[in-house]
Amino acid sequence: MRLFFFGSLMDADLLQQVLNRDTSDIAHAPAEILGYERRRAKNESFPIIVPTPGGKVEGRLVTSLTAEDVARIQWYESDDYALRPCVVKAGDARHDAYVFLATASLQDEGVAWEFDHWVAVEKPMCLSLAQEIMSHYGAISSTELVERWPEIKARAMAQHFGEPVAPPTRRRAGSRR
């Protein structure tokens, strides 16, 4: 299965943590999806892409994923994103792929999401979030994960920002793209 990553899963460390394995065998290449813009999800550190005439989002076309890899990624993304078919451009070629599009549970914050900013500022916290989220893979339902999201996020923020943080109030259906 070919997946198009446009957010934090473009980061090799995060992908390795989500998949719980060495990812050096996974093929990936620069790619873009047309007709969208990448924006920050409201009150979150991860992006969504929103339909935009004339828009373009750069990302990665990822192949060589196993069925277990895809299942783990879907768990990580949970109900905040739905896997949808798309066409991406990699070099001069077009490829059929799948992309995780935001569901109604995520809103557009109205500002661009930048990968380099995420790496520099938010990556450590997101790695902690991913570690805890993936520690529940196969052990609890996605509904239970959603219920635990405010506490998981508050712990990660407190760990990385050095002070207690009130749990977020937004119901979280999924992940950190």
Side-chain angles (χ1 to χ4, degrees), residues 6-114:
F6 59 85
S8 57
L9 284 174
M10 293 188 295
D11 181 76
D13 297 329
L14 182 62
L15 184 60
Q16 186 170 333
Q17 189 156 29
V18 169
L19 300 183
N20 195 34
R21 69 176 186 87
D22 176 53
T23 57
S24 61
D25 66 322
I26 295 176
H28 57 90
E32 57 190 29
I33 188 169
L34 303 176
Y36 290 91
E37 286 185 359
R38 181 176 31 225
R39 304 278 183 85
R40 187 177 183 94
K42 189 172 184 176
N43 299 321
E44 297 296 350
S45 61
F46 47 86
I48 61 174
I49 57 175
V50 295
T52 306
K56 175 177 76 170
V57 174
E58 296 179 353
R60 307 291 298 171
L61 179 62
V62 179
T63 59
S64 309
L65 295 167
T66 68
E68 177 64 12
D69 292 341
V70 173
R72 292 181 71 85
I73 294 167
Q74 286 182 304
W75 167 260
Y76 178 74
E77 298 295 8
S78 80
D79 295 336
D80 274 349
Y81 294 90
L83 194 57
R84 299 286 185 243
C86 67
V87 175
V88 298
K89 183 179 174 194
D92 292 330
R94 295 193 183 275
H95 301 276
D96 291 329
Y98 289 87
V99 63
F100 284 95
L101 296 179
T103 64
S105 65
L106 294 176
Q107 302 301 311
D108 179 2
E109 195 164 85
V111 297
W113 183 91
E114 299 293 336

Side-chain angles (χ1 to χ4, degrees), residues 95-154:
H95 301 276
D96 291 329
Y98 289 87
V99 63
F100 284 95
L101 296 179
T103 64
S105 65
L106 294 176
Q107 302 301 311
D108 179 2
E109 195 164 85
V111 297
W113 183 91
E114 299 293 336
F115 181 73
D116 291 340
H117 172 80
W118 177 86
V119 169
V121 176
E122 297 172 307
K123 178 180 173 178
M125 183 187 68
C126 291
L127 287 173
S128 292
L129 283 168
Q131 181 179 9
E132 184 168 352
I133 287 165
M134 296 312 295
S135 74
H136 299 294
Y137 177 71
I140 64 173
S141 71
S142 60
T143 301
E144 291 171 293
L145 181 63
V146 167
E147 291 169 359
R148 294 181 186 184
W149 171 243
E151 293 79 27
I152 291 170
K153 185 175 179 182

